[in-house]
Amino acid sequence: MKDGTVCAIASLKEENVLLNKEDAFQYWSGRDTNINVSFPANLAPVASACLTERRIPGGSPLIELAATDGGGFPRNGLIQKLLPFYRLGYLSLKEIVEKCSVNPAETFGLHQKGNLGIGADADITVLDMKRLDAAMSFAGGKRIMDHGRVTGSGGTFLTTKAGVKTAQEMQLNYQIADTQRSALYGERTAK
């Protein structure tokens, strides 16, 4: 920790902040080592290679999903990280939508997500192609983000059938992931 290899995640006021070196060590040891930490596990060159590698030149992507590594200190902004690959010609907009939305929904059996079909959740992100970032986001038909400013509140807990009882006991708004019809555990649906 003192050499900067591991950062401490400090819960300050209403946000998490990464602390480095001596500050990290002091925070960590002052809380009996009972805190979240962050390792530099996802280096940009590795993520870039994984994101753009093709099965065959000009073919479909080898890795069909893109994700942030949430954990105790979220590193969100997936669209902001992927759109430069579009501008450079490594990914099409269709591939970005598939990596960020369609394929993750299919992988986890969230059939009401990743599409705009009948019965879908109506989650939409509007892109600003000049800034290469998300301009607005809508969830359940309600605006939840406007030019980087969060305008919504609450959320939905995603669970399997095994977690429904706990979600109900905790009075959480939840949706059930259909693992039997997911690409992760069950049968993959045709695109």
Side-chain angles (χ1 to χ4, degrees):
M1 198 170 274
K2 286 183 176 183
D3 73 2
T5 303
V6 179
C7 296
I9 301 173
S11 296
L12 305 175
K13 298 181 183 178
E14 294 183 13
E15 65 180 324
N16 290 336
V17 176
L18 282 179
L19 298 177
N20 296 300
K21 299 186 176 185
E22 189 62 36
D23 291 338
F25 181 77
Q26 292 300 320
Y27 188 83
W28 175 74
S29 59
R31 282 155 185 80
D32 295 323
T33 71
N34 189 21
I35 63 163
N36 289 322
V37 296
S38 179
F39 293 86
N42 300 315
L43 303 175
V46 175
S48 297
C50 289
L51 192 63
T52 59
E53 186 65 30
R54 305 280 175 174
R55 294 179 193 282
I56 58 171
S60 61
L62 181 62
I63 298 176
E64 298 176 338
L65 297 107
T68 59
D69 54 346
F73 190 75
R75 294 160 186 93
N76 294 324
L78 190 57
I79 287 294
Q80 188 179 42
K81 290 179 174 118
L82 292 184
L83 285 177
F85 290 98
Y86 164 74
R87 184 167 282 166
L88 293 169
Y90 289 109
L91 296 172
S92 69
L93 284 177
K94 179 180 185 279
E95 289 170 330
I96 290 173
V97 169
E98 288 172 345
K99 284 179 176 281
C100 292
S101 184
V102 176
N103 295 342
E106 183 179 294
T107 297
F108 294 105
L110 302 169
H111 305 291
Q112 70 283 6
K113 298 196 174 298
N115 70 85
L116 296 175
I118 295 172
D121 285 350
D123 296 346
I124 299 170
T125 297
V126 178
L127 304 178
D128 180 336
M129 297 305 289
K130 287 183 182 175
R131 288 182 36 246
L132 298 179
D133 202 357
M136 284 188 272
S137 290
F138 298 82
K142 296 178 182 171
R143 184 170 42 192
I144 60 166
M145 191 271 293
D146 189 353
H147 294 86
R149 187 174 53 85
V150 175
T151 60
S153 63
T156 301
F157 180 72
L158 301 174
T159 185
T160 62
K161 290 178 184 175
V164 169
K165 182 179 177 188
T166 300
Q168 290 172 338
E169 288 171 357
M170 297 180 73
Q171 299 179 335
L172 298 173
N173 179 24
Y174 67 92
Q175 287 181 349
I176 300 172
D178 183 358
T179 57
Q180 295 302 310
R181 289 182 43 219
S182 73
L184 189 60
Y185 297 111
E187 299 174 18
R188 185 179 190 115
T189 57
K191 285 186 180 182

